Amino acid sequence: METISEPVGMKPARRVLIYIAFTFGITWAVWITADVIALNAPDTVGSAVLSVAAMVGMLFPLVGALLTNRVAKKGDRIDLKMRPHIHGVGRYYLLAWFLPTVLTVAGGAVFFLVFPSCFDATLGVFRSAIQANASLSWITDDTLYMMLIAQVAMGVLFAPFINMLFAFGEEAGWRGMLFPTLAERFSPRTSVLITGVIWGIWHAPLTVMGHNYGLGYWGYPVTGILCMCVFCVAMGSFLAWLRVRTDSVWSCALCHGAFNAIAGLGVYCAINANALLGPSPAGLIGGIPLIIVGLICWLKLSNKPVQAPRLPSEPLTTRPPDRVS
């Protein structure tokens, strides 16, 4: 990415506002509607509605990015870096795949060291979730831990690749459109902070309905939204670093999907825990390892504005030029 002093074409501020208007408008309309339906429906129906709305909503940042490009003039449309680039950068994809598990386990360990009374070796939450299914009510202590190991293995090895299909929708928007657009006006470092705050606020309708932090915490829902912003800044720093290193949002999508697959692991062995603090990496204490990694990645980013990559103004062709005889 080339350093520039003055971005050309559509001003970054205008592009950011257009992108936010599209993305927030579409997503919040769907999520707020889902919130209203959930409040007036039985618990099981409401929970299903919110789950579906949350997954579908992950695709809307991509929609917002595509619409933003649509209203831009040719030659000023942002290349969202939606092609995977793996050759020569495979190690970054491995980090994207496995580091979320390391950070989640480390964050849970930090949380339970600080709050040892919250650790439940009997896996009460996991046991309740399993035995709530009538067909699995026979599960005993001997098989409970084996089931947990199997579920964790699935979450580490396979679920990231399933989740990244939805996470791609977010990453094409946040790291494909918003982050590089902001980096034209500010620096990548500053842009990571702004993107993280916007990303955290974007989650607000879900946070209000108890996503990640529940409902019964102090300062609800403002403190939950603030904690989500901290988490998004830390995670966004790592994702932006991956985006720069791999020149593709697919590495970000894989990492995002890996976090979504494993972030709830610590909850299975927690009791009476304050979700604002942990044990998931979205908590302030459980998120300490992620915050440290995010800070390291943030420091590795440039502190000067850079031009966002543009799509070619004319379609490419493989036809050779006509010969002049």
Side-chain angles (χ1 to χ4, degrees):
M1 300 174 75
E2 180 184 355
T3 301
I4 62 170
S5 56
E6 282 291 335
V8 296
M10 181 187 287
K11 296 297 183 181
R14 181 168 179 261
R15 189 185 299 116
V16 167
L17 291 176
I18 291 172
Y19 170 74
I20 290 176
F22 279 135
T23 304
F24 275 63
I26 297 171
T27 312
W28 280 25
V30 171
W31 282 352
I32 291 174
T33 300
D35 288 352
V36 173
I37 293 173
L39 287 172
N40 295 279
D43 290 344
T44 54
V45 175
S47 178
V49 168
L50 289 177
S51 296
V52 171
M55 287 192 297
V56 172
M58 295 178 72
L59 301 175
F60 294 145
L62 169 60
V63 175
L66 294 175
L67 290 174
T68 302
N69 267 347
R70 181 68 177 174
V71 301
K73 295 180 180 180
K74 289 184 178 180
D76 193 43
R77 294 170 180 171
I78 299 298
D79 184 351
L80 303 179
K81 297 297 180 179
M82 294 193 293
R83 293 183 178 180
H85 299 145
I86 300 177
H87 181 70
V89 292
R91 62 188 181 279
Y92 297 111
Y93 282 87
L94 289 175
L95 278 176
W97 184 3
F98 292 111
L99 191 58
T101 299
V102 175
L103 296 176
T104 298
V105 172
V110 171
F111 176 82
F112 290 124
L113 284 173
V114 176
F115 303 103
S117 62
C118 292
F119 183 71
D120 178 20
T122 67
L123 305 178
V125 173
F126 184 65
R127 183 193 307 273
S128 298
I130 293 296
Q131 293 182 342
N133 187 330
S135 63
L136 297 175
S137 59
W138 56 270
I139 294 296
T140 64
D141 292 345
D142 293 335
T143 56
L144 189 68
Y145 290 99
M146 293 301 297
M147 291 188 67
L148 178 61
I149 292 172
Q151 185 162 325
V152 170
M154 288 287 292
V156 173
L157 299 177
F158 304 109
F161 295 95
I162 299 172
N163 291 348
M164 79 173 179
L165 300 178
F166 288 93
F168 175 78
E170 284 200 51
E171 295 309 317
W174 305 124
R175 253 60 61 181
M177 171 63 73
L178 184 59
F179 166 67
T181 294
L182 286 168
E184 288 190 336
R185 174 62 180 83
F186 305 101
S187 68
R189 289 182 183 177
T190 302
S191 301
V192 161
L193 303 179
I194 299 173
T195 300
V197 171
I198 293 173
W199 188 22
I201 295 174
W202 175 76
H203 285 90
L206 294 181
T207 305
V208 169
M209 290 302 292
H211 183 65
N212 282 329
Y213 304 112
L215 302 172
Y217 53 85
W218 177 85
Y220 164 87
V222 175
T223 50
I225 295 173
L226 291 176
C227 283
M228 194 64 189
C229 288
V230 172
F231 170 66
C232 287
V233 168
M235 183 174 169
S237 297
F238 182 33
L239 295 175
W241 178 77
L242 287 172
R243 156 69 177 76
V244 171
R245 290 292 180 175
T246 63
D247 198 34
S248 172
V249 296
W250 277 107
S251 60
C252 307
L254 177 59
C255 183
H256 192 155
F259 267 114
N260 287 353
I262 204 68
L265 176 61
V267 177
Y268 290 149
C269 48
I271 184 171
N272 298 326
N274 184 337
L276 290 178
L277 301 178
S280 85
L284 295 178
I285 303 299
I288 287 177
L290 173 60
I291 291 171
I292 293 173
V293 168
L295 177 60
I296 294 171
C297 292
W298 182 80
L299 291 172
K300 289 181 176 292
L301 294 172
S302 172
N303 61 354
K304 296 180 180 180
V306 295
Q307 182 172 349
R310 298 298 200 271
L311 288 172
S313 56
E314 296 295 335
L316 298 177
T317 177
T318 57
R319 178 185 174 184
D322 294 333
R323 291 185 178 182
V324 178
S325 56

